[in-house]
Amino acid sequence: VIQAELLMLGDECKNAANLFRKSWDRLGGNATVRMYWADSMACAGQHRAALSAYDEMLQYAAKYPHALFSRAMVRFRIGQSEPARSDLRRITQEDPKATWAQMMRAVFAMNEGHHLEDAEKDLRQAIKETDDDPTPALALGAGLLAQGRDADAVDALKIAHKYDAHEIRSGLMLAV
């Protein structure tokens, strides 16, 4: 299992998935192994298999944020944006403090170029609730830059840089 995790970290996803699958005989009841297998399959581009595995995990544990979040990411990757946003809405309804789900829903909307006002509102809310995480401010800054709202983007990126002075992406975007 550890070897499979290391392969997955090294982007050797198909090999990782094979090792996770081989370990099912001994650890098949371990939900973590099955989730890592599904994550590896998604990383390897085997989206249907990953979605089936996430669906199976959600049948056994309806409130499993890892499975819901991963399923949302795969759904978005294959163009099922509304079901992806639905999964993220479900996460935020079940756990209002799951600001990463709120942030990803906003990022999905910004990537698609619609619901921009809602996305901005969600990201600004996430910034307020996570005063130690630069990610929501970084996402907002990138989205505002893409919209041509440079002054607003600079303000958001300064917040990201303030939250983590060593976070290189905000510094690079500020340099642009």
Side-chain angles (χ1 to χ4, degrees):
V1 171
I2 292 170
Q3 183 179 1
E5 288 180 33
L6 291 172
L7 285 171
M8 196 166 81
L9 287 173
D11 286 333
E12 294 186 37
C13 302
K14 191 161 183 119
N15 292 332
N18 288 334
L19 285 177
F20 282 125
R21 182 67 184 100
K22 287 179 182 177
S23 67
W24 278 6
D25 293 339
R26 289 171 295 148
L27 304 169
N30 185 331
T32 304
V33 171
R34 289 185 180 258
M35 279 305 302
Y36 283 165
W37 175 81
D39 292 343
S40 297
M41 292 299 282
C43 174
Q46 302 296 320
H47 298 120
R48 250 179 35 215
L51 286 174
S52 293
Y54 296 137
D55 289 342
E56 179 184 0
M57 293 302 289
L58 290 168
Q59 284 178 352
Y60 298 126
K63 292 186 178 185
Y64 194 5
H66 182 152
L68 267 176
F69 179 72
S70 296
R71 184 173 74 176
M73 296 299 287
V74 171
R75 283 178 162 175
F76 185 74
R77 207 175 293 149
I78 62 173
Q80 297 178 357
S81 58
E82 187 48 45
R85 280 196 300 275
S86 174
D87 284 344
L88 294 173
R89 270 193 297 275
R90 182 173 155 197
I91 291 170
T92 55
Q93 287 170 350
E94 292 172 1
D95 181 8
K97 295 191 184 293
T99 54
W100 50 269
Q102 181 183 29
M103 182 191 67
M104 287 311 300
R105 195 176 76 211
V107 168
F108 290 174
M110 283 187 152
N111 282 342
E112 293 175 336
H114 57 82
H115 306 294
L116 297 175
E117 297 83 20
D118 292 338
E120 183 177 346
K121 185 178 80 173
D122 285 348
L123 287 171
R124 289 193 185 280
Q125 183 64 33
I127 290 169
K128 286 180 190 173
E129 294 173 2
T130 58
D131 59 357
D132 60 343
D133 183 5
T135 311
L138 181 66
L140 178 62
L144 293 171
L145 271 178
Q147 294 174 44
R149 295 173 51 193
D150 295 352
D152 293 332
V154 167
D155 291 341
L157 293 169
K158 283 181 179 177
I159 292 169
H161 192 68
K162 180 181 86 174
Y163 288 171
D164 185 355
H166 303 291
E167 208 292 310
I168 189 75
R169 295 170 296 180
S170 61
L172 289 173
M173 282 193 227
L174 282 168
V176 172

